Amino acid sequence: MERSLLIEMTRDKYVERCKQRAFDHLDQGDLRNAVASLVGNMNARPDCELPHYLATLGASLLTANDTRGWRTLIEGLR
């Protein structure tokens, strides 16, 4: 997606869109792509980049194959 299009959408709407895409992957049982989708899409926009501590927590949850933990992490994003 073109960077200018990413910035034209409000931050809140963009975050919700990123979360929904990740939830779609989780609903299909695809934790790895849920993580890749959320991290990649959030980091594509400077005002949505995930803080280091969340990226570290996310990596730990992925390593533990903790789908419920990832769902909780996604739900809590604002």
Side-chain angles (χ1 to χ4, degrees), residues 21-35 66-68 70-72 74:
R21 287 180 177 168
F23 284 137
D24 291 345
H25 286 291
L26 286 179
D27 291 344
Q28 296 172 10
D30 190 353
L31 177 59
R32 187 166 300 282
N33 279 325
V35 172
D66 187 346
T67 301
R68 188 182 330 161
W70 254 98
R71 186 171 294 279
T72 302
I74 294 168

Side-chain angles (χ1 to χ4, degrees), residues 3-5 10 12 15 20 23 36 38-39 42 47-55 57 60 70 78:
R3 198 162 189 74
S4 63
L5 295 175
T10 67
D12 290 343
V15 170
Q20 187 55 56
F23 284 137
L38 183 72
V39 172
M42 291 292 287
D47 62 341
C48 294
E49 288 182 19
L50 293 175
H52 181 71
Y53 73 91
L54 281 182
L57 173 60
S60 296
W70 254 98
R78 301 283 177 247

